Amino acid sequence: MIKSLSIILPVYNEQLRLKSAFSSILNFLKRRNFKTEIIFVDDGSTDNSFKMINSFIEKHQKKKLKKKIKIKIIKSKNNLGKGSALKLGVKNAKFDWILTVDIDMSVSLSQINIWLQKKLINKKHFVYIASRTHEKSIVKWDFFRNILGLIMRLFTFGILNIKIKDTQCGFKLYKKKVAKPIFLKLKDHGFSHDIELILLLKNRKIK
């Protein structure tokens, strides 16, 4: 079902998490069997994130990565918010499917392979959202995040009539033809951009 995939990773002052993220990315690339591009979007970092990502790219370019793999970085001059970083990444994505992922990899990239193996991705749906609240989820949340998640679910269920339990999960898969126009409409670049994206999809009756 997936022949090519663009992976968008928003980054803001993430130098402490990047080494682990790099390892996860390389492990994923060894096991995937479709064309892939990795797009880091540095949202105005003031630490060593940009330098570390550039070094990672240069190192693996020298190793002559297979033609089916492309890795690049896009840099914003200012910190505009995660929504803005994702919007910029989606704008520059080339491949047929677009996956957005948080740099902490709370949901592993390998989840895509699991979805494919279980044939969960089909022609009827154009967007797939991972849920850390799913009964089979192995992601552990701390107490503070659990409380925030509960408040968010009450708000989205009761007021916005959104039936998705984990709207804030950064692991979202979109068909490119859906993602491009939706992200172009995105106005909220902060914490609630996920809610706006889902409302935009809902208003357009995109499954």
Side-chain angles (χ1 to χ4, degrees):
M1 183 58 69
I2 293 180
K3 294 182 179 180
S4 62
L5 179 69
S6 299
I7 301 174
I8 314 298
L9 295 121
V11 177
Y12 177 65
N13 290 347
E14 296 284 7
Q15 64 179 23
L16 297 179
R17 289 174 169 169
L18 280 173
K19 286 186 178 180
S20 176
F22 295 155
S23 177
S24 297
I25 290 167
L26 291 175
N27 285 335
F28 169 76
L29 291 176
K30 290 176 184 176
R31 291 169 173 80
R32 61 93 188 91
N33 57 3
F34 39 76
K35 290 201 309 186
T36 307
E37 68 172 350
I38 308 289
I39 304 175
F40 292 94
V41 184
D42 188 320
D43 189 34
S45 292
T46 55
D47 64 358
N48 289 322
S49 293
F50 184 74
K51 183 179 179 181
M52 289 176 69
I53 295 168
N54 263 323
S55 296
F56 172 72
I57 294 172
E58 289 173 4
K59 178 181 177 182
H60 293 284
Q61 281 178 338
K62 288 178 181 178
K63 288 186 176 182
K64 297 182 178 180
L65 287 170
K66 293 179 182 179
K67 292 181 180 179
K68 288 186 177 181
I69 304 170
K70 297 180 180 179
I71 306 177
K72 63 181 178 180
I73 184 169
I74 301 169
K75 173 77 171 175
S76 293
K77 291 182 179 179
N78 302 308
N79 174 230
L80 301 176
K82 182 180 175 182
S84 176
L86 291 174
K87 188 173 183 176
L88 184 57
V90 170
K91 180 181 178 181
N92 285 273
K94 305 295 184 186
F95 290 159
D96 194 40
W97 286 88
I98 298 174
L99 176 68
T100 63
V101 187
D102 290 339
I103 203 70
D104 66 356
M105 302 283 175
S106 62
V107 179
S108 170
L109 287 171
S110 63
Q111 191 64 43
I112 283 292
N113 294 329
I114 295 171
W115 288 357
L116 289 170
Q117 288 167 8
K118 294 187 176 182
K119 298 181 180 180
L120 298 176
I121 299 172
N122 55 59
K123 294 180 180 180
K124 295 181 181 179
H125 300 91
F126 301 102
V127 181
Y128 298 82
I129 302 174
S131 175
R132 295 161 296 183
T133 65
H134 193 282
E135 61 182 7
K136 293 184 180 180
S137 174
I138 59 172
V139 177
K140 295 181 180 179
W141 289 31
D142 59 33
F143 177 78
F144 183 65
R145 283 195 174 187
N146 271 323
I147 295 298
L148 283 179
L150 177 60
I151 293 171
M152 183 61 71
R153 287 194 293 277
L154 290 172
F155 173 71
T156 55
F157 272 53
I159 297 176
L160 301 178
N161 195 32
I162 294 174
K163 304 305 180 184
I164 296 170
K165 290 184 178 181
D166 191 7
T167 57
Q168 303 308 108
C169 185
F171 196 96
K172 296 180 173 73
L173 177 68
Y174 307 83
K175 192 75 172 175
K176 184 177 73 172
K177 66 179 182 181
V178 166
K180 293 277 187 180
I182 288 294
F183 274 88
L184 193 62
K185 294 281 186 181
L186 185 66
K187 295 180 180 179
D188 191 308
H189 294 165
F191 176 75
S192 59
H193 75 274
D194 297 277
I195 301 294
E196 184 186 355
L197 282 171
I198 291 170
L199 288 174
L200 287 168
L201 292 166
K202 184 178 178 182
N203 289 339
R204 286 160 178 75
K205 297 182 179 179
I206 294 170
K207 294 183 179 181

